[in-house]
Amino acid sequence: MHDTKRSIFTLAALALLAAAPLCQAMDAAPASGALAATSYERSALSPSTMKLDADEYRETDVWGRIRSGYAIPDLNNALVTRHAQAYAAHPGNLSRISGRASPYLYHVVSELEKRGMPTELALLPVIESAFNPQAMSSANAAGLWQFVPGTGKDFDLRQNMFKDERRGVVASTDAALSYLQRLYTMFGDWPLALAAYNWGEGNVQRAIKKNQELGKPTDFDSLAELMPAETRNYVPKLQAVKNVVANPSQYGVTLPAIDNQPYFTTVDKTSDIDLAIAAQLAEMSLDEFKALNPQFKKPVIIGGERTKILLPTENAEKFHINLAQWGHALSTWTTHKITGARVTIAQLASKFGTTPEVIRQANNIPPQSRLKAGSTILVPKTSASNHGDIAENIIENAVVAFEADRGKAKRNASRFKAKATTSKNGKRIARNTSSKRKQR
């Protein structure tokens, strides 16, 4: 009898458990009677199916992603109108810049979103460098974000004979966003933070103090008259780009589509490797490789674990496969320190089995110049050379110094004297008979 009752209770409990999901689904169903999946049916969907559903709502174009993250209050003045009209008058300019930005923009936007920063800041390199990582200003500011040497060092961007991380896409973006965040914390206002990025925080602080003493407002527009023309136009230029990106057709501009997915990935450098060999292993042209890795100044990539190579995602796999099958040296370069003041480029070329042109090109030695003693230069490896990686202390301390090749100047002067002729009265005259002397 007890066994029979126990069986009945067990069956009843199981029935209730089986009915529970269905009851919950009916309670949650919309009153309109629209079809909806039950909780049981939803749990049966695979994770990949759920991801596809979510991805339907993602932006497919990075431009749309930037627009959706605008967060800096709009500026509306005559300067904004003027710069926007300039883009409308020359629509090809922004289109070309956009094409140049395409390998980098996804990364910049992703980093801004990670930090919770306004996504229109991704457009700042349009103003700074036209998205050219090789850009160099008259003030020696370099890269997409135009860091001067001192500020670059403040944000741990290494600058030595072999590389300049102000040009590196990943390192300089991280430094620029950190700097912008610091400026925003300092001023509590994005237009002023941007003005400080262009003009320097000290100058902006002094301008604020001056207006405070005069009882005037300290917002960007109120401080603009105290700023140099470049800074006064800086924020309006960004606003103009922001307006064009928000509505390209209104300005007659076509923005090339940029896929909302990573363009590149990072690859660890396991040992010194020539740029040309790295590009070959990745099955890329050397120009394509340099566009993603503009920080490397020499034909060889050196450095420790911190040094990374950027490759398009589809080329990274090719790189690893080809590297595993590579049966040759990865680097054909080493360093040599000049100890004597009379060593010529021709002598160096002969010693290392190459040509003077190769030595000059690898070390950016100007024509009619010679190396000063103490200089460290790149030279091709020979069978007698040390085939290890270039040491870290050499990387950080190597310098190259040039001086005019006085020997060549003297030889040229001797050749000129040899061309002189003697007149009938015994006086020497030069073949150049111009009566006018160049003013010095």
Side-chain angles (χ1 to χ4, degrees):
M1 179 66 179
H2 291 295
D3 291 339
T4 303
K5 287 182 178 180
R6 191 178 294 113
S7 298
I8 291 171
F9 288 136
T10 302
L11 289 171
L14 288 172
L16 286 171
L17 287 171
L22 181 58
C23 293
Q24 291 170 1
M26 291 175 67
D27 290 340
S32 63
L35 292 176
T38 66
S39 59
Y40 176 81
E41 290 169 334
R42 282 196 291 269
S43 67
L45 294 174
S46 67
S48 60
T49 305
M50 294 288 284
K51 185 176 185 301
L52 287 173
D53 290 342
D55 284 350
E56 290 177 3
Y57 301 98
R58 290 181 59 210
E59 294 285 354
T60 58
D61 188 353
V62 171
W63 297 116
R65 192 170 162 194
I66 292 173
R67 294 181 197 108
S68 65
Y70 281 1
I72 300 175
D74 286 337
L75 184 68
N76 187 11
N77 60 30
L79 287 176
V80 173
T81 302
R82 182 195 305 172
H83 292 303
Q85 288 173 344
Y87 285 117
H90 304 281
N93 289 348
L94 198 52
S95 295
R96 281 190 293 274
I97 293 172
S98 302
R100 199 179 297 138
S102 60
Y104 319 123
L105 205 53
Y106 177 93
H107 173 75
V108 176
V109 175
S110 297
E111 293 303 304
L112 285 166
E113 289 177 343
K114 286 178 186 177
R115 295 169 181 246
M117 299 172 71
T119 52
E120 60 260 54
L121 294 173
L123 305 174
L124 199 58
V126 174
I127 311 303
E128 288 286 351
S129 62
F131 266 101
N132 177 10
Q134 297 291 358
M136 175 72 78
S137 77
S138 58
N140 202 25
L144 293 179
W145 299 93
Q146 290 290 282
F147 275 97
V148 294
T151 309
K153 289 177 182 176
D154 289 344
F155 286 89
D156 200 26
L157 295 176
R158 292 188 180 181
Q159 302 157 60
N160 56 45
M161 188 180 90
F162 296 91
K163 64 182 176 182
D164 186 346
E165 288 185 341
R166 295 179 299 161
R167 301 183 187 278
V169 176
V170 172
S172 70
T173 296
D174 181 66
L177 302 194
S178 294
Y179 188 25
L180 286 165
Q181 279 186 313
R182 190 178 86 179
L183 293 171
Y184 179 71
T185 300
M186 185 180 296
F187 296 104
D189 177 273
W190 277 116
L192 291 181
L194 289 165
Y197 187 88
N198 177 258
W199 193 26
E201 57 256 46
N203 289 320
V204 174
Q205 286 171 330
R206 283 186 285 274
I208 290 173
K209 185 178 180 181
K210 184 172 183 179
N211 265 21
Q212 286 174 335
E213 291 172 349
L214 295 172
K216 293 182 177 181
T218 58
D219 58 288
F220 177 83
D221 277 335
S222 301
L223 295 173
E225 62 182 12
L226 301 176
M227 298 175 181
E230 180 184 327
T231 307
R232 194 162 55 247
N233 282 271
Y234 190 73
V235 176
K237 279 183 179 180
L238 180 62
Q239 181 67 56
V241 176
K242 177 179 172 180
N243 291 350
V244 175
V245 170
N247 195 347
S249 60
Q250 178 182 334
Y251 298 92
V253 172
T254 301
L255 298 177
I258 301 176
D259 289 341
N260 189 23
Q261 59 184 358
Y263 180 84
F264 60 77
T265 186
T266 57
V267 174
D268 291 332
K269 182 192 73 67
T270 56
S271 63
D272 289 359
I273 183 170
D274 291 0
L275 263 70
I277 292 174
Q280 181 182 343
L281 293 176
E283 299 182 20
M284 301 168 64
S285 72
L286 188 55
D287 287 342
E288 289 174 323
F289 183 86
K290 287 181 177 179
L292 281 180
N293 299 278
Q295 67 271 32
F296 301 121
K297 298 163 62 177
K298 298 296 182 185
V300 59
I301 301 171
I302 48 75
E305 294 179 356
R306 171 173 163 166
T307 303
K308 308 288 184 183
I309 296 172
L310 300 188
L311 296 175
T313 306
E314 64 270 20
N315 294 86
E317 185 176 354
K318 297 176 183 177
F319 178 87
H320 289 301
I321 292 171
N322 292 331
L323 178 62
Q325 299 172 351
W326 187 256
H328 312 284
L330 289 172
S331 171
T332 61
W333 296 93
T334 188
T335 57
H336 173 74
K337 190 163 186 175
I338 307 299
T339 55
R342 296 183 179 277
V343 178
T344 66
I345 304 296
Q347 289 170 336
L348 289 168
S350 177
K351 179 177 180 178
F352 292 99
T354 187
T355 65
E357 289 73 22
V358 169
I359 297 288
R360 287 188 180 277
Q361 185 175 1
N363 297 281
N364 300 317
I365 303 172
Q368 298 183 352
S369 299
R370 62 189 301 160
L371 292 158
K372 287 186 176 181
S375 294
T376 298
I377 63 168
L378 274 184
V379 293
K381 288 180 177 179
T382 66
S383 57
S385 299
N386 176 10
H387 285 261
D389 289 349
I390 296 171
E392 187 70 24
N393 66 307
I394 294 177
I395 294 169
E396 293 303 323
N397 300 311
V399 294
V400 179
F402 318 112
E403 62 183 356
D405 189 347
R406 295 186 181 87
K408 182 173 288 188
K410 289 179 181 178
R411 290 193 296 274
N412 289 339
S414 298
R415 282 196 292 270
F416 178 78
K417 288 179 181 179
K419 291 179 181 179
T421 60
T422 305
S423 66
K424 291 181 181 179
N425 59 9
K427 292 182 179 180
R428 298 179 74 236
I429 58 173
R431 289 184 181 175
N432 182 359
T433 57
S434 172
S435 61
K436 295 182 179 180
R437 295 173 59 88
K438 291 183 179 179
Q439 300 297 317
R440 293 190 182 276

